[in-house]
Short mmCIF file of all heavy atoms in Angstrom, two decimals:
data_model
loop_
_atom_site.label_atom_id
_atom_site.label_comp_id
_atom_site.label_asym_id
_atom_site.label_seq_id
_atom_site.Cartn_x
_atom_site.Cartn_y
_atom_site.Cartn_z
N SER K 88 100.91 164.21 107.48
CA SER K 88 101.53 163.07 106.87
C SER K 88 102.58 163.47 105.94
O SER K 88 102.70 164.43 105.38
CB SER K 88 100.45 162.30 106.05
OG SER K 88 99.94 163.20 105.07
N VAL K 89 103.60 162.49 105.91
CA VAL K 89 104.79 162.68 104.99
C VAL K 89 104.43 162.39 103.56
O VAL K 89 103.83 161.30 103.34
CB VAL K 89 105.95 161.80 105.46
CG1 VAL K 89 107.18 162.08 104.46
CG2 VAL K 89 106.28 162.16 106.91
N PRO K 90 104.66 163.22 102.68
CA PRO K 90 104.34 163.01 101.25
C PRO K 90 104.97 161.68 100.77
O PRO K 90 106.09 161.34 101.12
CB PRO K 90 104.91 164.20 100.47
CG PRO K 90 105.08 165.22 101.44
CD PRO K 90 105.35 164.54 102.82
N ALA K 91 104.18 160.94 100.19
CA ALA K 91 104.66 159.54 99.58
C ALA K 91 105.74 159.78 98.53
O ALA K 91 105.64 160.68 97.71
CB ALA K 91 103.53 158.73 99.02
N VAL K 92 106.79 158.96 98.53
CA VAL K 92 107.85 159.08 97.56
C VAL K 92 107.52 158.07 96.43
O VAL K 92 107.29 156.97 96.64
CB VAL K 92 109.18 158.76 98.23
CG1 VAL K 92 110.25 158.84 97.10
CG2 VAL K 92 109.51 159.70 99.33
N THR K 93 107.47 158.68 95.19
CA THR K 93 107.14 157.85 94.05
C THR K 93 108.35 157.05 93.63
O THR K 93 109.37 157.67 93.30
CB THR K 93 106.62 158.70 92.99
OG1 THR K 93 105.53 159.42 93.38
CG2 THR K 93 106.20 157.89 91.76
N ALA K 94 108.27 155.74 93.71
CA ALA K 94 109.41 154.95 93.33
C ALA K 94 109.49 154.85 91.77
O ALA K 94 108.50 155.11 91.06
CB ALA K 94 109.37 153.54 93.85
N ALA K 95 110.73 154.60 91.37
CA ALA K 95 110.90 154.48 89.86
C ALA K 95 110.22 153.35 89.38
O ALA K 95 110.15 152.24 90.05
CB ALA K 95 112.46 154.36 89.59
N THR K 96 109.63 153.35 88.23
CA THR K 96 108.89 152.37 87.60
C THR K 96 109.78 151.29 87.10
O THR K 96 110.67 151.59 86.30
CB THR K 96 107.89 152.87 86.57
OG1 THR K 96 107.11 153.82 87.03
CG2 THR K 96 107.10 151.65 85.93
N VAL K 97 109.68 150.01 87.59
CA VAL K 97 110.47 148.87 87.12
C VAL K 97 109.59 147.97 86.34
O VAL K 97 108.55 147.49 86.87
CB VAL K 97 111.10 148.16 88.31
CG1 VAL K 97 112.01 146.99 87.79
CG2 VAL K 97 111.96 149.17 89.18
N PRO K 98 109.87 147.71 85.12
CA PRO K 98 109.12 146.76 84.26
C PRO K 98 109.07 145.34 84.95
O PRO K 98 110.10 144.79 85.28
CB PRO K 98 109.79 146.66 82.86
CG PRO K 98 111.18 147.09 83.19
CD PRO K 98 111.15 148.08 84.38
N THR K 99 107.93 144.82 85.22
CA THR K 99 107.84 143.41 85.77
C THR K 99 107.86 142.39 84.71
O THR K 99 107.56 142.61 83.50
CB THR K 99 106.35 143.35 86.47
OG1 THR K 99 105.37 143.55 85.50
CG2 THR K 99 106.36 144.34 87.58
N ALA K 100 108.41 141.29 85.12
CA ALA K 100 108.57 140.10 84.18
C ALA K 100 107.25 139.61 83.81
O ALA K 100 106.35 139.60 84.66
CB ALA K 100 109.40 138.99 84.82
N PRO K 101 107.05 139.11 82.60
CA PRO K 101 105.74 138.55 82.13
C PRO K 101 105.43 137.36 82.99
O PRO K 101 106.26 136.56 83.26
CB PRO K 101 105.93 138.28 80.70
CG PRO K 101 107.42 138.14 80.56
CD PRO K 101 108.04 139.09 81.57
N SER K 102 104.15 137.20 83.45
CA SER K 102 103.76 136.06 84.23
C SER K 102 103.61 134.85 83.27
O SER K 102 103.15 134.90 82.17
CB SER K 102 102.36 136.38 84.86
OG SER K 102 101.38 136.58 83.85
N ILE K 103 104.08 133.71 83.83
CA ILE K 103 104.07 132.52 83.10
C ILE K 103 103.15 131.51 83.80
O ILE K 103 103.35 131.24 85.08
CB ILE K 103 105.48 131.89 83.03
CG1 ILE K 103 106.47 132.84 82.32
CG2 ILE K 103 105.55 130.59 82.24
CD1 ILE K 103 107.86 132.53 82.28
N ALA K 104 102.27 131.05 83.13
CA ALA K 104 101.28 130.06 83.67
C ALA K 104 102.01 128.80 84.09
O ALA K 104 102.83 128.29 83.32
CB ALA K 104 100.12 129.80 82.72
N PRO K 105 101.76 128.33 85.31
CA PRO K 105 102.35 127.00 85.71
C PRO K 105 101.92 125.87 84.78
O PRO K 105 100.82 125.85 84.34
CB PRO K 105 101.80 126.82 87.16
CG PRO K 105 100.55 127.57 87.15
CD PRO K 105 100.76 128.75 86.23
N PRO K 106 102.85 124.88 84.64
CA PRO K 106 102.54 123.78 83.74
C PRO K 106 101.37 122.96 84.35
O PRO K 106 101.31 122.71 85.58
CB PRO K 106 103.84 122.93 83.62
CG PRO K 106 104.59 123.34 84.85
CD PRO K 106 104.22 124.79 85.24
N THR K 107 100.59 122.41 83.56
CA THR K 107 99.53 121.51 84.07
C THR K 107 100.09 120.14 84.28
O THR K 107 101.06 119.75 83.71
CB THR K 107 98.40 121.46 82.95
OG1 THR K 107 98.93 120.96 81.81
CG2 THR K 107 97.81 122.86 82.77
N THR K 108 99.41 119.46 85.25
CA THR K 108 99.88 118.11 85.58
C THR K 108 99.50 117.07 84.54
O THR K 108 100.07 116.06 84.44
CB THR K 108 99.27 117.67 86.97
OG1 THR K 108 97.91 117.85 86.91
CG2 THR K 108 99.85 118.64 88.05
N ALA K 109 98.42 117.29 83.83
CA ALA K 109 97.91 116.40 82.85
C ALA K 109 98.88 116.42 81.62
O ALA K 109 99.33 117.42 81.16
CB ALA K 109 96.57 116.65 82.39
N VAL K 110 99.24 115.23 81.12
CA VAL K 110 100.12 115.11 79.93
C VAL K 110 99.18 114.76 78.79
O VAL K 110 98.43 113.95 78.76
CB VAL K 110 101.12 113.94 80.13
CG1 VAL K 110 102.00 113.80 78.95
CG2 VAL K 110 101.92 114.14 81.35
N THR K 111 99.33 115.67 77.83
CA THR K 111 98.48 115.56 76.61
C THR K 111 99.12 114.48 75.64
O THR K 111 100.34 114.13 75.72
CB THR K 111 98.39 116.87 75.85
OG1 THR K 111 99.63 117.23 75.42
CG2 THR K 111 97.79 117.95 76.83
N GLU K 112 98.26 114.03 74.69
CA GLU K 112 98.76 113.13 73.68
C GLU K 112 99.92 113.64 72.93
O GLU K 112 100.84 113.03 72.53
CB GLU K 112 97.62 112.66 72.76
CG GLU K 112 97.96 111.60 71.81
CD GLU K 112 96.76 111.17 70.96
OE1 GLU K 112 95.67 111.36 71.53
OE2 GLU K 112 96.93 110.61 69.88
N ALA K 113 99.81 115.00 72.61
CA ALA K 113 100.89 115.62 71.82
C ALA K 113 102.15 115.65 72.61
O ALA K 113 103.26 115.48 72.00
CB ALA K 113 100.47 117.09 71.43
N ASP K 114 102.12 115.75 73.96
CA ASP K 114 103.30 115.71 74.74
C ASP K 114 103.99 114.38 74.64
O ASP K 114 105.24 114.25 74.57
CB ASP K 114 102.94 116.16 76.22
CG ASP K 114 102.49 117.57 76.39
OD1 ASP K 114 102.90 118.37 75.51
OD2 ASP K 114 101.70 117.83 77.28
N LEU K 115 103.09 113.34 74.75
CA LEU K 115 103.71 111.99 74.81
C LEU K 115 104.34 111.71 73.36
O LEU K 115 105.30 110.91 73.23
CB LEU K 115 102.66 111.01 75.13
CG LEU K 115 102.15 111.12 76.56
CD1 LEU K 115 100.94 110.31 76.83
CD2 LEU K 115 103.31 110.66 77.53
N MET K 116 103.60 112.26 72.38
CA MET K 116 104.19 111.89 71.01
C MET K 116 105.43 112.58 70.77
O MET K 116 106.27 112.11 69.89
CB MET K 116 103.15 112.36 69.93
CG MET K 116 101.79 111.56 69.95
SD MET K 116 102.09 109.83 69.59
CE MET K 116 102.48 109.80 67.86
N SER K 117 105.74 113.71 71.43
CA SER K 117 106.97 114.39 71.22
C SER K 117 108.16 113.82 72.03
O SER K 117 109.30 114.05 71.73
CB SER K 117 106.83 115.88 71.73
OG SER K 117 106.54 115.95 73.15
N VAL K 118 107.83 112.86 72.96
CA VAL K 118 108.88 112.31 73.74
C VAL K 118 109.36 111.04 72.91
O VAL K 118 108.47 110.44 72.26
CB VAL K 118 108.35 111.80 75.10
CG1 VAL K 118 109.41 111.12 75.93
CG2 VAL K 118 107.91 113.12 75.88
N ASP K 119 110.51 110.68 73.10
CA ASP K 119 111.05 109.41 72.42
C ASP K 119 110.22 108.31 72.78
O ASP K 119 110.02 107.98 74.01
CB ASP K 119 112.51 109.23 72.87
CG ASP K 119 113.08 107.98 72.29
OD1 ASP K 119 113.13 107.84 71.04
OD2 ASP K 119 113.54 107.19 73.03
N ALA K 120 109.75 107.57 71.73
CA ALA K 120 108.92 106.40 72.02
C ALA K 120 109.53 105.34 72.83
O ALA K 120 108.94 104.74 73.69
CB ALA K 120 108.38 105.87 70.69
N GLY K 121 110.86 105.19 72.65
CA GLY K 121 111.54 104.14 73.49
C GLY K 121 111.57 104.42 74.93
O GLY K 121 111.50 103.60 75.80
N THR K 122 111.70 105.79 75.29
CA THR K 122 111.72 106.18 76.65
C THR K 122 110.44 105.87 77.27
O THR K 122 110.36 105.34 78.46
CB THR K 122 112.09 107.66 76.78
OG1 THR K 122 113.28 107.91 76.10
CG2 THR K 122 112.16 108.17 78.19
N VAL K 123 109.28 106.27 76.63
CA VAL K 123 108.03 106.02 77.29
C VAL K 123 107.73 104.54 77.42
O VAL K 123 107.18 104.09 78.48
CB VAL K 123 106.98 106.70 76.39
CG1 VAL K 123 105.50 106.41 76.96
CG2 VAL K 123 107.19 108.18 76.19
#
Side-chain angles (χ1 to χ4, degrees):
S88 61
V89 178
V92 179
T93 303
T96 303
V97 178
T99 58
S102 59
I103 300 175
T107 57
T108 55
V110 179
T111 64
E112 182 175 340
D114 294 333
L115 292 169
M116 293 299 290
S117 64
V118 180
D119 177 56
T122 300
V123 179

